[in-house]
Amino acid sequence: QVQLVDAGGGLVQAGASLRLSCAASERPSTTDAMGWFRQAPEQEREFVAAIAWSSGNTFYADSVKGRFTISRANARNTVYLQMNSLKPEDTAVYYCAVAVGYGRWSVPTDSPRYNYWGQGTQVTVSS
């Protein structure tokens, strides 16, 4: 059972930056992907970004493309989400997750494909 610990959320003003981190209890395999999702109050969880652990291939939701960057630190079993130019509509609880066994290049975007989830970290962006 992989355990994920999300961290780095906070309250910031519009235009500011935050970096989220997600530490896994064990190293993802070469066929795993890690992703970030978010859920705002009374809304469904939505995909934000994902990275294939082995290849580093990435994919972003249109709403964050050009502002957010997902990266990984292999030695630390950690994935990061650098969030720049934050907007009030980015306010949500952010969750990291691991999708097991999708291949070196695959970056799943739908939440049912993810097997393990972090506890979430709150990001609040004020206008």
Side-chain angles (χ1 to χ4, degrees):
Q1 182 91 5
V2 177
Q3 295 184 343
L4 304 173
V5 179
D6 307 332
L11 170 63
V12 296
Q13 291 189 329
S17 298
L18 279 174
R19 188 176 79 155
L20 306 183
S21 64
C22 174
S25 59
E26 58 188 67
R27 180 165 297 178
S29 80
T30 57
T31 58
D32 293 348
M34 293 189 73
W36 287 96
F37 291 75
R38 65 186 182 187
Q39 187 167 18
E42 300 182 357
Q43 295 188 20
E44 294 189 356
R45 189 170 297 187
E46 65 172 357
F47 171 78
V48 175
I51 186 166
W53 189 260
S54 177
S55 65
N57 187 35
T58 59
F59 190 79
Y60 297 90
D62 287 343
S63 58
V64 306
K65 199 173 298 181
R67 298 189 298 123
F68 291 10
T69 302
I70 188 170
S71 62
R72 74 212 189 288
N74 295 52
R76 298 181 179 181
N77 301 341
T78 299
V79 65
Y80 301 98
L81 186 68
Q82 177 67 43
M83 305 186 295
N84 298 329
S85 303
L86 282 162
K87 304 175 181 180
E89 52 263 44
D90 294 318
T91 295
V93 178
Y94 283 69
Y95 300 89
C96 74
V98 175
V100 177
Y102 281 90
R104 294 187 66 244
W105 294 94
S106 180
V107 281
T109 62
D110 46 337
S111 58
R113 297 184 184 272
Y114 285 78
N115 305 89
Y116 304 103
W117 292 83
Q119 80 284 359
T121 184
Q122 175 72 48
V123 172
T124 303
V125 185
S126 63
S127 58

